[in-house]
């Protein structure tokens, strides 16, 4: 005779009360570092992806909303200092949608949707308001 579990038993076996583990990729991305690029040493996330600042932002505030966020996704979460990063310049703030966005030297940090690989800097100077950051948290010209 083959025993089968009742639908109720099957459901209870599939459900657990264990919270999902934090994404190691997301956590690793929040460890910022300085990396060599065609623009010099620039701020990158833990995966080596370039981070940008938006010159229309103000400290603790983002002017990037709507379509801007589709093109320039924010670095979400609390950042940590990796190689070459000044931990005293790290910070975060709460966006209008309630998410926490990482900052460096007061600048909210973003990715550029067209950067496909570590070291890409295709968002640099788009359109004269998006820039990579140096170790001091200043925009890199060029």
């Amino acid at each position: 005779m083959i025993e089968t579990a009742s639908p109720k038993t099957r459901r209870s076996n599939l459900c657990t009360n264990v919270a999902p583990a934090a994404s190691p990729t997301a956590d690793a991305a929040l460890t910022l570092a300085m990396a060599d690029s065609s623009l010099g040493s620039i701020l990158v996330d833990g995966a080596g992806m370039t981070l940008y600042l938006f010159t229309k932002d103000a400290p603790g505030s983002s002017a990037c909303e709507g379509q801007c966020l589709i093109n320039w996704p924010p670095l979400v979460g609390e950042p940590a200092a990796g190689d070459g990063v000044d931990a005293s310049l790290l910070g975060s703030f709460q966006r209008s949608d309630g998410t926490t966005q990482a900052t460096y030297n007061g600048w909210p940090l973003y990715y550029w949707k067209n950067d496909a690989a570590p070291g890409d800097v295709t968002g640099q100077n788009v359109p004269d308001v998006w820039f990579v950051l140096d170790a001091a948290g200043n925009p890199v010209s060029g």
Side-chain angles (χ1 to χ4, degrees), residues 93-117:
F93 71 100
Q94 190 169 38
R95 294 186 54 81
S96 61
D97 66 2
T99 60
T100 299
Q101 184 169 356
T103 64
Y104 193 66
N105 194 29
W107 292 106
L109 299 174
Y110 305 86
Y111 297 100
W112 169 231
K113 70 174 186 170
N114 292 337
D115 282 352

Side-chain angles (χ1 to χ4, degrees), residues 13-24:
N13 288 342
L14 296 174
C15 298
T16 64
N17 290 328
V18 177
S23 167

